[in-house]
């Protein structure tokens, strides 16, 4: 079937061939990233708070669906976010752990 002979899809019709998921739920996005759903929800909550306070967000970008109730993640954007991380980089709390270890060593 060529693009010229392909039937036009209108809202409510489905393509004849299966299409990959484009927007996924928090649960499915967490599976893709290898996180637990609660971890991804925490990142979402942190990012919402950061937006309200005018700070930059750190979690993967999300989209509020037209119903105004559902949060979905765009799969290509989700994968790009995951790929943008630092390879073998330090996690944000590593410095705090070292500081605690120094304090504990000083008490002995």
């Amino acid at each position: 079937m060529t693009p010229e002979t392909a039937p036009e899809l209108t809202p409510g019709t489905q393509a004849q061939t299966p299409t990959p998921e484009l927007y996924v739920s928090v649960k499915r996005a967490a599976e893709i990233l290898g996180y637990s759903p609660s971890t991804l929800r925490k990142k979402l909550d942190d990012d919402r708070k950061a937006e309200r306070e005018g700070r930059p967000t750190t979690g993967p970008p999300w989209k509020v669906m037209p119903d105004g109730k559902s949060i979905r993640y765009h799969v290509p954007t989700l994968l790009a976010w995951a790929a943008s991380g630092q390879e073998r980089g330090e996690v944000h709390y590593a410095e705090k752990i070292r500081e605690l270890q120094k304090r504990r060593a000083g008490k002995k």
Side-chain angles (χ1 to χ4, degrees), residues 54-100:
R55 295 182 289 114
T57 59
T58 58
W62 72 90
K63 179 177 180 132
V64 178
M65 298 312 283
D67 65 5
K69 299 175 185 177
S70 305
I71 297 288
R72 294 289 184 263
Y73 292 89
H74 184 240
V75 174
T77 306
L78 189 68
L79 296 174
W81 175 83
S84 71
Q86 243 186 334
E87 198 166 321
R88 298 179 188 237
E90 289 191 26
V91 291
H92 68 280
Y93 54 84
E95 192 60 41
K96 290 181 181 182
I97 291 172
R98 280 193 284 276
E99 192 177 301
L100 278 171

Side-chain angles (χ1 to χ4, degrees), residues 9 13-24 28 75-76:
L9 293 177
T13 63
Q14 294 182 357
Q16 297 298 320
T17 57
T19 56
E21 296 173 287
L22 207 53
Y23 290 94
V24 295
R28 179 71 180 116
V75 174

